[in-house]
């Protein structure tokens, strides 16, 4: 430890670059410059420099007679150098040890002991966010048994520790706080409880980047935005590198420590760690690499056996917390497991409440291996003595069933009197304890949380990267395209060989078909192969690659209108990729043809399954799932792209169903980027389909996302009532579905006009929720209509209600609910063994584990009683 610290070396003159430099030195310098350059150009976020230079960095090795180098390389001042910050009422005791076992860093080998109040006062270079870290190690010394220490630590306005005791903690540990300083003066006061000593081994006050905390969090209890995070103070309670090893402060540009998550995992056998090379992790614009290092995103926990069977369980982490505080939970995600976009949807629960349903990382960051984080405030209504985080597969998807979590941070938030420990503020005033009764009730609420808390879905495309996609804009309308079907990706290798059919671009791959090829695929444009007719031309069923069915849309080159719509469609689709949007496979532009080739949706338009075609009626559950799929597609259009896209022609014929009845939005011929409509709305001719048109758009000729929401409301009523949006053959007051359904809804007699096929099977609550969603969509003014995200939420809720009622009916049929014990008043967290979901088929109901079974039945019983 005799090595000179940086402090000392600044006094000596810096080594000068003498002119008689040896050639080897020059060579080394050239090499260095070269490496710096290479690392600069290969760094994906070089602009967002990966080194943070804190304005303030006050590091003190208390009690040490010399400067000390921390294990992460940072240099801590000696006690003497820190005296300018220090004032004390009494005698100070400095203690140190030459060495000790199991001490991770020399900063723990000395301490300052206080028997009277003592204050460190710092003049900061800047106000704003600062880390305060207090390092403790009760080192043995002849004068005091530090195991008996008991003391409080506070700043001028914030209690950090209240009558804190070491307890049985004999090792080294530290407490970390993140405080937004309003002034440039920070004092940290140590106050021993009379008769006991106080002590500190090392102290850090370091500036933190503003970007760490933004005001974009959501409360868990009501899913409203939580405002005021920047005025909060935080204590880090857990910081986990999920699925990976512990990361010491050396591995984090902000000197944070990340623990491994494994000891918090409830069932280790259900969790599978995945790891990728950290260098592949990207940060989207707006997400700084200071949020968490690449190493954190490069490892994750996923579901065991996900590739083999459908995993039907959650992965659960339990962490103890003090229930008298609120917490900010930051979850870090990065899709390091999918091969393609849009293949991973999963649910996230906190304390049994759905925090996010069908979390869709692909639409958040539009890329794989790209960092994403989301903040939730676990507010006093839902806090309990354990924080439970669960992830599980999203069951409404046919894509890979899996779920991941890459990192987790839990921050305690100060209470109303400015304390992070105990109920007293710095002035001794007390916060009172938060809703004790609520806390007691939480255990009970958690059982029902999944249903009651469905309020839970949060769809936020926060800090949507502004030109994340825009910079990939292109002028030629035909290029570049996406391939919607992964089977084409397998042909990627033939790219280099220039076989003519494939070529790549920054955006993905598109297949260029020859006209002859498509003529053959459609039996020479045989009118028997026509599956759709539109203003632009016909859609044919085609067969390519021997047996692959595709939809071939052939534009009529004569019509100017057609060209515009084609251009719009191809531009839109080439920018979009989503499970609930039909995907484009390729195109043909030979002989000025404008032909687009899409994936074939074998079950055709939704409308055909509702009325007019005598197809077997869809069940209510199917209708809900289809509506949810379509809503998801629209929601993605509105929010998942940088400028937001308005579909403009939402109707049941533009919602197509694939083999599995998965709904996809189609026909983007009229779509417009929302951002461009602002300037051009005056000249925008009213387009869209009669019966679905937003009355406001009609009046003002002003287009917003809410016009799609209106049309979607009409779609929902069409789904419920199974009749066309406009039926001129009906009596006058019935012609327009939107008006007619709203009349019945207002009278509270909607069930009178529900599709008779649904009678008996539709759950009344589910229908009510669905109809409410539809009604809100049809509000006269756009501002009063919900966003597609809200609509989606309501539909998911309706589906849960329906499933719950189907389940309880199945139970009734089996006679098992007759002997239902009443729900226990305040049970512990229900056992989270894999539980089969409510099954649609009464014959398939399985007997589930006693304890959890009861909990499940109780849930459904409670739902039915509502
Ligand atoms: C996952 O956890 C949530 C919340 O606790 C619960 O509602 C859901 O049923 C669980 N899913 C499975 C498959 O166990
Ligand atoms: C935390 O303290 C700030 C003032 O420093 C206050 O505005 C805020 O309300 C406090 N937080 C809570 C949850 O009471």
């Amino acid at each position: 430890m005799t090595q000179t610290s940086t402090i000392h070396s600044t006094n000596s003159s810096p080594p000068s670059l003498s002119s008689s430099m040896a050639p080897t030195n020059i060579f080394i310098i050239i090499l260095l410059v070269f490496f710096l350059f290479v690392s600069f150009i290969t760094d994906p976020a070089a602009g967002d420099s990966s080194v943070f230079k804190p304005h303030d960095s006050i590091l003190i090795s208390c009690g040490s007679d010399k400067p000390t180098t921390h294990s992460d390389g940072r240099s801590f001042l000696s006690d003497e150098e820190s005296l300018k910050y220090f004032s004390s009422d009494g005698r100070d005791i400095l203690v140190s040890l030459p060495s000790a076992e199991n001490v991770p860093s020399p900063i723990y080998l000395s301490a300052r002991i206080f028997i009277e109040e003592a204050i460190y006062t710092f003049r900061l270079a800047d106000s704003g966010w600062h880390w305060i870290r207090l390092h403790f190690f009760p080192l043995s010394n002849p004068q005091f048994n530090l195991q008996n220490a008991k003391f409080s630590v506070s700043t001028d306005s914030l209690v950090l520790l209240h009558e804190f005791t070491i307890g049985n903690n004999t090792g080294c540990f530290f407490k970390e706080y993140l405080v937004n300083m309003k002034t440039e003066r920070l004092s940290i006061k140590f106050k021993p409880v009379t008769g006991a000593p106080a002590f500190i081994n090392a102290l850090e006050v370091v500036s933190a980047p503003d970007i760490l905390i933004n005001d974009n969090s959501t409360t868990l209890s009501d899913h409203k935005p939580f405002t005021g995070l920047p005025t909060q103070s935080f204590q880090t309670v857990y910081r986990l590198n999920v699925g990976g090893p512990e990361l010491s402060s050396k591995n984090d540009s902000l000197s944070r420590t990340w623990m491994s998550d494994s000891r918090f995992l409830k069932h280790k056998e259900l969790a599978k760690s995945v790891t990728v090379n950290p260098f592949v992790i990207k940060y989207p614009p707006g997400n700084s690499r200071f949020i968490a290092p690449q190493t954190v995103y490069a490892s994750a926990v996923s579901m065991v056996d996900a590739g083999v069977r459908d995993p039907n369980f959650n992965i659960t982490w339990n962490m103890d917390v003090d229930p008298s505080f609120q917490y900010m939970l930051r979850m870090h995600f990065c899709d390091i497991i999918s091969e393609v976009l849009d293949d991973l949807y999963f649910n996230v629960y906190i304390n049994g409440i759905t925090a996010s349903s069908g979390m869709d990382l692909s639409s958040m960051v539009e890329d794989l291996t790209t960092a994403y984080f989301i903040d939730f405030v676990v507010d006093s209504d839902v806090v309990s003595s354990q924080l439970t985080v669960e992830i599980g597969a999203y069951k409404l998807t046919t894509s890979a069933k899996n779920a991941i979590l890459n990192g987790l941070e839990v921050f305690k938030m100060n209470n109303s009197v400015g304390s992070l420990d105990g109920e007293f503020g710095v002035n001794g005033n007390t916060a009172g304890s938060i809703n004790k009764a609520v806390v007691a009730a939480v255990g009970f609420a958690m059982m029902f949380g999944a249903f009651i808390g469905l309020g839970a879905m949060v769809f936020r495309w926060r800090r949507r990267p502004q030109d994340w996609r825009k910079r990939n804009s292109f002028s030629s309308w035909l290029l570049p395209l996406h391939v919607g079907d992964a089977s084409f990706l397998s042909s990627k290798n033939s790219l280099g060989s220039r076989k003519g059919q494939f070529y790549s671009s920054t955006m993905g791959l598109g297949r260029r078909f020859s006209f002859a090829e498509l003529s053959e695929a459609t039996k020479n444009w045989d009118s028997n192969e026509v599956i759709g007719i539109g203003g632009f031309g016909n859609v044919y069923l085609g067969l390519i690659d021997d047996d692959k069915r595709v939809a071939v849309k052939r534009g009529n080159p004569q019509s100017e209108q057609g060209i515009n719509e084609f251009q719009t469609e191809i531009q839109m689709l080439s920018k979009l990729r989503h499970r609930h949007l039909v995907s484009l496979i390729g195109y043909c532009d030979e002989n000025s043809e404008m032909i687009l080739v899409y994936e074939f949706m074998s079950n055709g338009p939704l409308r055909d399954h509702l009325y007019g075609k005598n197809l077997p009626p869809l069940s209510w559950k199917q209708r809900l799932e289809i509506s949810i799929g379509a809503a998801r597609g629209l929601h993605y259009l509105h929010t998942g792209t940088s400028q937001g896209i308005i579909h403009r022609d939402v109707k049941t014929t533009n919602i197509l169903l694939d083999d599995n009845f998965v709904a996809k939005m189609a026909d983007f011929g009229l779509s417009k980027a929302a951002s461009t409509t602002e300037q051009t709305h005056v000249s925008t001719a009213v387009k869209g389909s009669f019966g679905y048109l937003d009355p406001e758009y009609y009046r003002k000729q002003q287009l917003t996302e809410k016009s799609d929401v209106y049309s979607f409301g009409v779609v929902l009523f069409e789904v419920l009532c199974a009749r066309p949006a406009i039926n001129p053959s009906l009596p006058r007051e019935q012609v327009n579905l939107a008006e007619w359904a709203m009349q019945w809804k207002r009278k509270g007699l909607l069930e009178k006009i529900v599709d008779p096929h649904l009678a008996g099977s539709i759950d009344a609550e589910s229908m009510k929720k669905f109809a409410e969603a539809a009604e809100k969509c049809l509000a006269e003014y756009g501002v009063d209509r919900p966003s597609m995200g809200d609509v989606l939420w309501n539909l998911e809720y309706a589906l849960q209600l329906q499933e719950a009622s189907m389940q309880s009916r199945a139970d009734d049929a089996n006679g098992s609910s007759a002997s239902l014990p009443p729900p226990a008043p305040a049970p512990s967290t229900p056992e989270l063994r894999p539980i089969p979901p409510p099954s649609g088929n009464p014959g398939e109901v399985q007997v589930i584990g006693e304890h959890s079974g009861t909990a499940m039945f109780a849930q459904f019983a409670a739902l039915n009683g509502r």
Side-chain angles (χ1 to χ4, degrees):
M1 279 294 122
T2 51
Q3 148 201 16
T4 47
S5 77
T6 49
I7 307 284
H8 291 159
S9 64
T10 49
N11 295 338
S12 60
S13 60
S16 58
L17 291 174
S18 73
S19 52
S20 61
M21 211 189 282
T24 47
N25 288 356
I26 296 177
F27 179 71
I28 288 169
I29 287 173
I30 290 174
L31 216 62
L32 258 175
V33 167
F34 175 75
F35 278 120
L36 276 176
F37 179 72
V38 167
S39 69
F40 179 78
I41 58 168
T42 52
D43 183 350
D48 162 353
S49 95
S50 60
V51 185
F52 175 69
K53 296 201 190 61
H55 282 157
D56 291 303
S57 180
I58 303 162
L59 312 174
I60 303 173
S61 182
C62 306
S64 169
D65 56 4
K66 55 186 186 302
T68 308
T69 305
H70 190 17
S71 52
D72 61 15
R74 291 179 302 155
S75 182
F76 281 56
L77 301 179
S78 69
D79 196 280
E80 194 182 339
E81 288 166 315
S82 76
L83 284 179
K84 59 184 170 194
Y85 303 121
F86 187 69
S87 65
S88 157
D89 293 350
R91 170 171 82 93
D92 330 315
I93 299 125
L94 311 183
V95 292
S96 63
L97 290 179
S99 70
E101 269 180 32
N102 297 328
V103 169
S105 165
I107 62 167
Y108 290 102
L109 288 177
S110 63
R112 183 177 267 275
I113 302 174
F114 319 110
I115 45 176
E116 306 280 352
E117 189 171 293
I119 303 179
Y120 284 92
T121 306
F122 306 103
R123 181 162 292 282
L124 304 176
D126 254 333
S127 55
W129 288 106
H130 284 75
W131 300 110
I132 299 175
R133 295 192 184 101
L134 308 175
H135 296 265
F136 297 106
F137 174 49
L139 43 79
S140 59
N141 68 89
Q143 281 163 295
F144 291 97
N145 182 353
L146 295 183
Q147 219 72 55
N148 296 334
K150 189 171 183 188
F151 56 98
S152 300
V153 181
S154 58
T155 71
D156 282 340
S157 55
L158 190 68
V159 173
L160 304 180
L161 290 172
H162 178 70
E163 303 196 349
F164 168 70
T165 53
I166 300 293
N168 298 327
N169 206 337
T170 54
C172 302
F173 62 98
F174 65 91
K175 304 264 174 188
E176 180 185 274
Y177 305 89
L178 185 57
V179 178
N180 199 355
M181 294 299 302
K182 298 208 178 47
T183 62
E184 280 150 26
R185 180 182 172 280
L186 169 66
S187 65
I188 299 178
K189 181 164 81 183
F190 289 80
K191 190 170 194 295
V193 169
T194 318
F199 75 100
I200 178 83
N201 302 73
L203 184 63
E204 296 180 38
V205 175
V206 184
S207 315
D210 290 344
I211 197 159
L212 275 191
I213 302 292
N214 54 46
D215 217 353
N216 264 326
S217 62
T218 308
T219 49
L220 204 57
S221 62
D222 58 3
H223 291 83
K224 301 252 164 59
F226 179 92
T227 44
L229 274 194
T231 64
Q232 292 289 317
S233 301
F234 301 96
Q235 180 188 348
T236 315
V237 252
Y238 297 101
R239 180 178 288 126
L240 308 181
N241 177 24
V242 179
E246 171 172 336
L247 302 177
S248 71
S249 51
K250 189 163 60 188
N251 303 313
D252 183 301
S253 53
L254 302 182
S255 309
R256 291 167 295 195
T257 303
W258 300 74
M259 287 192 286
S260 152
D261 67 302
S262 57
R263 71 182 157 113
F264 303 102
L265 265 175
K266 189 163 173 202
H267 296 293
K268 289 196 178 53
E269 69 280 8
L270 299 179
K272 180 179 159 201
S273 294
V274 261
T275 313
V276 296
N277 183 336
F279 295 113
V280 308
I281 304 298
K282 294 168 286 232
Y283 293 86
N287 186 353
S288 157
R289 56 180 50 223
F290 298 131
I291 297 292
Q294 283 170 311
T295 346
V296 169
Y297 290 109
S299 68
V301 155
S302 65
M303 303 179 77
V304 78
D305 276 357
V308 188
R309 56 185 171 86
D310 277 359
N312 185 24
F313 57 85
N314 293 323
I315 303 176
T316 308
W317 292 263
N318 283 326
M319 288 152 286
D320 292 332
V321 292
D322 177 346
S324 49
F325 286 87
Q326 307 191 113
Y327 294 84
M328 197 265 270
L329 235 78
R330 172 164 294 177
M331 311 184 97
H332 298 271
F333 295 104
C334 181
D335 188 349
I336 55 173
I337 60 174
S338 299
E339 308 263 308
V340 292
L341 281 173
D342 298 317
D343 200 30
L344 177 67
Y345 300 89
F346 56 96
N347 298 331
V348 179
Y349 311 92
I350 299 170
N351 281 7
I353 296 178
T354 309
S356 180
S357 168
M359 167 84 74
D360 181 0
L361 298 176
S362 292
S363 44
M364 311 282 186
V365 290
E366 301 186 315
D367 208 348
L368 300 175
T369 62
T370 302
Y372 175 76
F373 73 96
I374 184 164
D375 294 339
F376 294 100
V377 170
V378 182
D379 45 328
S380 51
D381 288 349
V382 290
V383 78
S384 74
S385 61
Q386 262 201 344
L387 209 55
T388 303
V389 170
E390 289 167 278
I391 56 172
Y394 179 67
K395 65 184 161 65
L396 291 183
T397 172
T398 51
S399 53
K401 302 254 192 323
N402 207 340
I404 56 164
L405 180 64
N406 304 61
L408 179 66
E409 290 175 275
V410 178
F411 298 98
K412 190 197 267 184
M413 293 163 53
N414 67 270
N415 67 14
S416 59
V417 292
S419 171
L420 282 163
D421 189 20
E423 52 182 301
F424 299 101
V426 277
N427 308 322
N429 39 2
T430 158
S433 60
I434 60 162
N435 311 327
K436 280 269 159 59
V438 172
V439 174
V442 163
F444 188 64
M446 272 168 65
M447 265 181 66
F448 302 104
F451 293 91
I452 293 168
L454 270 167
M457 275 186 300
V458 180
F459 292 91
R460 285 183 314 143
W461 273 253
R462 56 144 92 221
R463 286 181 286 103
R464 197 183 312 137
Q466 268 318 310
D467 58 355
W468 183 229
R469 281 292 187 190
K470 262 189 219 148
R471 65 171 162 231
N472 290 323
S473 63
F474 40 89
S475 48
S476 153
W477 67 269
L478 278 179
L479 297 175
L481 303 181
H482 269 308
V483 165
D485 190 308
S487 64
F488 287 96
L489 291 170
S490 58
S491 312
K492 213 188 246 175
N493 298 342
S494 65
L495 269 176
S497 60
R498 191 82 196 107
K499 287 254 168 68
Q501 286 184 339
F502 303 94
Y503 56 98
S504 79
S505 69
T506 48
M507 302 275 301
L509 300 165
R511 175 164 171 183
R512 185 180 186 182
F513 291 89
S514 71
F515 185 68
E517 209 174 343
L518 292 180
S519 300
E520 192 193 326
T522 57
K523 304 195 182 141
N524 226 346
W525 311 103
D526 185 343
S527 56
N528 290 328
E529 301 298 313
V530 172
I531 51 173
I533 299 171
F536 48 81
N538 292 342
V539 183
Y540 299 81
L541 173 60
L543 213 54
I544 58 168
D545 302 343
D546 297 336
D547 60 348
K548 188 176 166 61
R549 293 194 293 176
V550 290
V552 183
K553 183 169 172 178
R554 184 182 184 192
N556 176 357
Q558 268 69 55
S559 108
E560 182 63 25
Q561 170 79 17
I563 292 174
N564 289 339
E565 291 184 7
F566 252 87
Q567 293 188 348
T568 312
E569 178 134 20
I570 199 164
Q571 289 191 359
M572 292 297 164
L573 277 178
S574 56
K575 278 185 270 188
L576 303 170
R577 206 152 37 142
H578 194 267
R579 212 177 111 68
H580 294 289
L581 304 181
V582 287
S583 26
L584 195 59
I585 289 168
Y587 68 97
C588 167
D589 62 350
E590 232 175 85
N591 318 330
S592 358
E593 287 282 349
M594 289 179 303
I595 303 171
L596 300 181
V597 181
Y598 301 89
E599 63 176 318
F600 176 64
M601 302 289 288
S602 60
N603 275 308
L606 169 59
R607 181 192 179 127
D608 292 355
H609 297 269
L610 294 174
Y611 51 85
K613 290 271 159 106
N614 283 328
L615 294 174
L618 298 168
S619 71
W620 180 236
K621 186 167 174 238
Q622 277 178 310
R623 295 184 202 202
L624 284 167
E625 286 170 355
I626 290 166
S627 308
I628 288 169
R632 209 170 255 284
L634 278 175
H635 181 51
Y636 169 74
L637 281 185
H638 291 176
T639 57
T641 58
S642 55
Q643 75 273 52
I645 289 168
I646 305 171
H647 185 286
R648 292 223 292 169
D649 201 9
V650 175
K651 54 183 176 184
T652 44
T653 45
N654 281 341
I655 298 171
L656 302 182
L657 306 175
D658 74 3
D659 302 357
N660 300 314
F661 285 88
V662 171
K664 306 196 184 200
M665 293 303 305
D667 203 346
F668 297 84
L670 298 179
S671 305
K672 278 224 184 295
S675 56
T676 63
T677 55
E678 262 139 45
Q679 306 93 40
T680 60
H681 69 259
V682 181
S683 61
T684 304
V686 172
K687 288 180 181 162
S689 299
F690 198 45
Y692 294 91
L693 263 187
D694 169 11
E696 192 171 59
Y697 172 39
Y698 209 84
R699 278 196 307 273
K700 297 202 204 160
Q701 306 221 338
Q702 194 163 355
L703 197 60
T704 69
E705 278 98 348
K706 295 297 179 67
S707 309
D708 283 351
V709 173
Y710 182 92
S711 311
F712 192 71
V714 180
V715 166
L716 292 181
F717 275 127
E718 221 175 315
V719 165
L720 185 67
C721 308
R723 56 147 283 185
I726 296 286
N727 186 348
S729 65
L730 290 171
R732 207 195 143 335
E733 72 280 3
Q734 297 184 23
V735 169
N736 184 318
L737 171 62
E739 284 171 17
W740 185 61
M742 288 294 278
Q743 280 166 19
W744 287 94
K745 173 83 178 63
R746 277 186 217 111
K747 282 187 258 177
L749 291 173
L750 199 60
E751 62 276 9
K752 298 260 188 256
I753 60 165
V754 166
D755 181 1
H757 289 116
L758 295 173
S761 66
I762 182 168
D763 171 64
E765 288 295 311
S766 172
M767 185 193 91
K768 192 164 153 231
K769 198 82 213 160
F770 183 91
E772 271 168 25
E775 181 183 20
K776 287 189 201 130
C777 291
L778 294 181
E780 184 69 19
Y781 298 100
V783 289
D784 299 329
R785 294 176 207 147
S787 69
M788 277 318 296
D790 294 336
V791 177
L792 190 47
W793 179 81
N794 279 287
L795 294 177
E796 302 240 20
Y797 195 9
L799 177 63
Q800 298 281 358
L801 290 166
Q802 177 69 19
E803 286 181 337
S805 98
M806 281 159 60
Q807 173 72 24
S808 70
R809 256 181 243 204
D811 297 341
D812 284 347
N814 288 353
S816 51
S817 68
S819 56
L820 235 196
S828 55
T829 324
E831 190 57 21
L832 292 167
R833 289 251 142 237
I835 296 171
S839 151
N841 180 348
E844 270 175 28
V845 173
Q846 297 165 37
V847 179
I848 38 192
E850 272 226 73
H851 178 73
S852 49
T854 310
M856 292 286 282
F857 291 139
Q859 287 172 358
F860 301 126
L863 259 178
N864 269 357
R866 275 146 39 95

